[in-house]
Amino acid sequence: MKYSRQRELIREAVERSTHHPTADAIYQEVRKKEPNISLATVYRNLNQLADNGIIRRVAVPGEPEHFDHTMAYHEHMICTQCGCVVDIWPEKPLYEQFEALSETGITGYDLILHGLCRACADRNNLKQD
Amino acid sequence: MKYSRQRELIREAVERSTHHPTADAIYQEVRKKEPNISLATVYRNLNQLADNGIIRRVAVPGEPEHFDHTMAYHEHMICTQCGCVVDIWPEKPLYEQFEALSETGITGYDLILHGLCRACADRNNLKQD
DNA sequence: CTATGTGCAAAGGGTTTGCAAGTAG
DNA sequence: CTACTTGCAAACCCTTTGCACATAG
């Protein structure tokens, strides 16, 4: 992978992001510094970065793909109320649980948990009181 | 939901299916009996049946949606070699494991396991010998 | 110099939608 | 009757691709 200013900006944008941006969100962000960048370039580079294990793809059914800069093992929960994606840090990797599920072995998985994020849960509690 | 011949044919096609057909596969199947049916009708009815808990959606990242007639609790594994979708019947529902992962509760999840189906595993072993 | 990367515009695939006509209850 | 359903075509959304030009090494 040879250097490109665009890829570097994209990588930095994912790195900085606290939530889990989509390709379009990254596009909007990078455009602030590189107004002429093409959405195609963003897609190409996000794919390249993901394929090289530099960022992580987060597939959410029925939504455009999200991306995550945190490569350390963790899971994701999508808030059923506001739609935000939150990191979940299990004490033990779920992977161990899954391995036993198939005689022929489990080589990977895609998992999205559904629930309420802290903010939405708190907001709901306030209304109830 | 009032009766329609089309919806009934679609429901039957999903019911009969042993694998986990996509909307288009159902469309091809139903067309044998109802040549003028529209793909839009298939989509509308699959969604309707899924929303009413009569069939189940199986979202596989990067693929068109699949559908499953088996409502009883089970999981799904996609074969990394041939792409087929296999049912996995865990002894204990994974759901119980997941609940503890969020303080605010887990209300559901989407999970796709990756591995080799029986047929592909056997085929690979044969070649090795 | 050449292998990669870019921007643009167009194409691609899966899915949904607007509409006028048809049909179940 | 009238609310739901259909077929058709067009629209939609996200993502990829073909191409001529630009650029890193």
Side-chain angles (χ1 to χ4, degrees):
Chain A
M1 246 195 320
K2 77 181 176 187
Y3 173 88
S4 95
R5 188 177 64 263
Q6 289 89 334
R7 183 182 309 120
E8 194 50 25
L9 288 167
I10 289 164
R11 207 192 50 69
E12 284 171 10
V14 178
E15 194 61 43
R16 274 199 312 280
S17 69
T18 55
H19 47 302
H20 301 75
T22 60
D24 194 67
I26 294 293
Y27 175 55
Q28 301 304 338
E29 179 62 24
V30 173
R31 258 211 309 180
K32 294 177 190 167
K33 291 192 178 173
E34 187 77 15
N36 287 327
I37 198 172
S38 156
L39 183 52
T41 298
V42 173
Y43 273 103
R44 273 188 291 238
N45 281 304
L46 287 172
N47 282 334
Q48 201 166 172
L49 292 167
D51 291 345
N52 285 69
I54 295 164
I55 64 175
R56 177 171 163 190
R57 274 184 255 261
V58 181
V60 182
E63 288 195 28
E65 192 133 48
H66 295 246
F67 294 88
D68 189 344
H69 64 97
T70 314
M71 293 304 289
Y73 166 72
H74 65 287
E75 303 293 346
H76 293 106
M77 181 179 77
I78 185 161
C79 177
T80 49
Q81 197 158 307
C82 73
C84 74
V85 178
V86 244
D87 289 334
I88 298 279
W89 300 88
E91 294 184 21
K92 291 180 185 174
L94 302 185
Y95 184 81
E96 296 171 9
Q97 240 76 34
F98 295 161
E99 274 190 324
L101 292 173
S102 164
E103 302 168 0
T104 51
I106 297 294
T107 55
Y109 62 91
D110 289 287
L111 172 65
I112 293 289
L113 301 160
H114 299 242
L116 288 179
C117 69
R118 180 79 287 146
C120 283
D122 289 353
R123 199 176 305 122
N124 294 358
N125 281 340
L126 261 159
K127 281 182 190 158
Q128 272 182 335
D129 299 341
Chain B
M1 250 200 312
K2 77 181 177 189
Y3 173 87
S4 94
R5 188 178 63 264
Q6 289 88 335
R7 182 181 308 120
E8 194 49 25
L9 288 167
I10 289 164
R11 205 190 51 69
E12 283 170 12
V14 178
E15 194 62 44
R16 273 199 313 278
S17 70
T18 55
H19 47 299
H20 300 75
T22 60
D24 193 66
I26 294 293
Y27 175 55
Q28 301 305 338
E29 179 62 25
V30 173
R31 241 175 5 151
K32 295 178 188 166
K33 291 192 177 173
E34 187 76 15
N36 287 327
I37 197 170
S38 155
L39 183 52
T41 298
V42 174
Y43 272 104
R44 273 189 290 239
N45 280 304
L46 286 172
N47 282 334
Q48 202 166 172
L49 292 167
D51 291 345
N52 285 69
I54 295 164
I55 64 175
R56 177 172 164 189
R57 273 184 256 261
V58 181
V60 181
E63 288 197 27
E65 192 132 50
H66 295 245
F67 295 88
D68 189 344
H69 64 97
T70 313
M71 293 305 287
Y73 165 73
H74 65 286
E75 304 293 345
H76 293 105
M77 181 179 78
I78 184 159
C79 177
T80 48
Q81 195 159 308
C82 73
C84 73
V85 178
V86 240
D87 289 334
I88 298 277
W89 300 88
E91 295 185 19
K92 292 180 184 175
L94 303 185
Y95 185 80
E96 296 170 9
Q97 240 76 33
F98 294 162
E99 275 190 323
L101 292 174
S102 163
E103 302 168 359
T104 52
I106 298 292
T107 55
Y109 62 91
D110 289 287
L111 173 65
I112 293 290
L113 301 161
H114 300 243
L116 287 179
C117 70
R118 178 80 285 147
C120 283
D122 290 351
R123 200 174 308 123
N124 294 358
N125 281 340
L126 261 161
K127 281 184 194 159
Q128 271 183 335
D129 300 343

